[in-house]
Amino acid sequence: MISERELGEFHRRLHGWFRKNGRDLPWRQTRDPYAVLVSEFMLQQTTVAAVIPFYGRWMKEFPDIAALARADEQKVLKLWEGLGYYSRARNLLRAAREIAADDPGVIPADMPRLLRLSGIGPYTASAIAAFAFDRCVPVLDANITRVLARLFDFREPAANARGKLFLERAARSLLPESGGCLHSSSLMDLGALVCTAGRPGCPSCPVRKFCRAVSPEKIPFKAPRKTVLHERDPRVFAHAEGRVSLVLSDGPRWKGLWLLPPAGRKGKILLEFSHVVTRHRIRLEISRAHPRTNWKSFPADNLPPMPAPHRRALELLLARR
Ligand code: SF4
């Protein structure tokens, strides 16, 4: 661990580097807790580059908690379309409604109340506490985890219970007394820009003096990969008079989104491709069918929210016509 005497210098170097080199991200231009809440939901398992355009559109459509709490779920899912992991959108809507229904209708600053909201786990709660309310709490995203594991030369898997406990203690040991937002943003950007996955840029690292990593490119250690599960998903393309048939998913996968209807019997396959959902590799096989009365039809040029693989399949098949 870094001694208390050295901690001041560590902070000066790290925070000074961030002030000059930190990323100018749209959600950092404000301390509006709602903007931070939206960005943190979007950033779960998604890259900054992918989130930026969605964030801009979202904030225009739903500029505050009240606007989102009033929104229709289908409209919310439509705006989320293409970002994936749709349970985040439904949870964000649910959390907005929980906040709006509570007196005084504002996002709480303390961890226990944040953790009671839908879709908010320990990471998101600590990120909101730090970035919106400047709290000095450990924030452990993938970038910060990598930086800390290397700084402390932690040569065990970072994602298991032991690894998480060690890294949380390490993060706590580096916290300043104030300025939680600056501190966590600095660690995060150090991981994104210098202490990157693969080969880190140690010669230009502002905190190299404090780093214990001997072979940083090998850290953090990863747990063995989980087996990939292969699945087939036979679906149909039912198109008539400019309309296509879809069915509403009742979950658990893609709940609330519209899908190509399931295939009842084997037909000639028009299109097939694979996509990945968590550890499932799914082969989408699409054959033709006639529309049925228990399927809902939509104009082909005005489709409801759909998951990316089904929308892509539909667009390819419509383009062939
Ligand atoms: Fe990462 Fe290298 Fe800096 Fe250590 S010296 S924190 S490994 S960039």
Side-chain angles (χ1 to χ4, degrees), residues 147 150-151 190 194-196 200-203 205-208 211-213 216:
V147 170
R150 287 172 174 172
L151 274 172
L190 186 70
V194 180
C195 193
T196 49
C202 303
C205 177
V207 292
R208 188 178 189 187
C211 183
R212 307 234 178 99

Side-chain angles (χ1 to χ4, degrees), residues 31 92 217:
R31 279 278 178 88
L92 178 53
E217 65 288 348

Side-chain angles (χ1 to χ4, degrees), residues 153-307:
D153 199 25
F154 185 64
R155 299 187 205 181
E156 292 179 43
N160 64 20
R162 207 174 125 84
K164 282 182 184 162
L165 189 65
F166 177 89
L167 292 167
E168 189 184 327
R169 282 196 187 137
R172 271 190 201 286
S173 77
L174 296 181
L175 285 175
E177 282 179 7
S178 62
C181 178
L182 169 66
H183 180 71
S184 290
S185 304
S186 305
L187 281 173
M188 196 172 268
D189 280 18
L190 186 70
L193 303 174
V194 180
C195 193
T196 49
R199 188 174 294 182
C202 303
S204 57
C205 177
V207 292
R208 188 178 189 187
K209 176 178 173 185
F210 303 96
C211 183
R212 307 234 178 99
V214 179
S215 304
E217 65 288 348
K218 293 188 184 149
I219 297 177
F221 282 21
K222 296 213 168 51
R225 276 179 180 259
K226 286 187 179 156
T227 324
V228 175
L229 303 172
H230 292 267
E231 277 178 37
R232 278 180 60 241
D233 189 10
R235 298 271 160 179
V236 297
F237 174 55
H239 177 263
E241 296 166 8
R243 300 178 74 85
V244 289
S245 298
L246 299 173
V247 291
L248 186 62
S249 167
D250 56 5
R253 191 181 289 161
W254 295 326
K255 188 164 183 248
L257 286 125
W258 292 84
L259 312 176
L260 295 167
R265 59 188 169 79
K266 223 175 175 184
K268 185 179 167 219
I269 291 176
L270 300 173
L271 177 72
E272 56 186 324
F273 62 84
S274 296
H275 61 95
V276 176
V277 179
T278 59
R279 51 192 285 235
H280 300 258
R281 187 168 184 83
I282 303 161
R283 183 118 199 110
L284 201 55
E285 299 172 347
I286 300 155
S287 52
R288 191 182 304 282
H290 291 294
R292 287 196 201 158
T293 50
N294 59 335
W295 297 341
K296 191 165 161 102
S297 83
F298 293 88
D301 58 359
N302 188 17
L303 295 167
M306 296 178 73

Side-chain angles (χ1 to χ4, degrees), residues 24 28-29 35 38 41 49 89 99 110 120-121 143-144 148 153 188 194 197 215 235 238 242 305 308:
D24 183 21
R28 283 188 180 161
Q29 290 159 9
V38 170
F41 267 76
I99 294 162
D110 62 283
I120 297 193
N143 282 317
I144 298 181
L148 295 176
D153 199 25
M188 196 172 268
V194 180
S215 304
R235 298 271 160 179

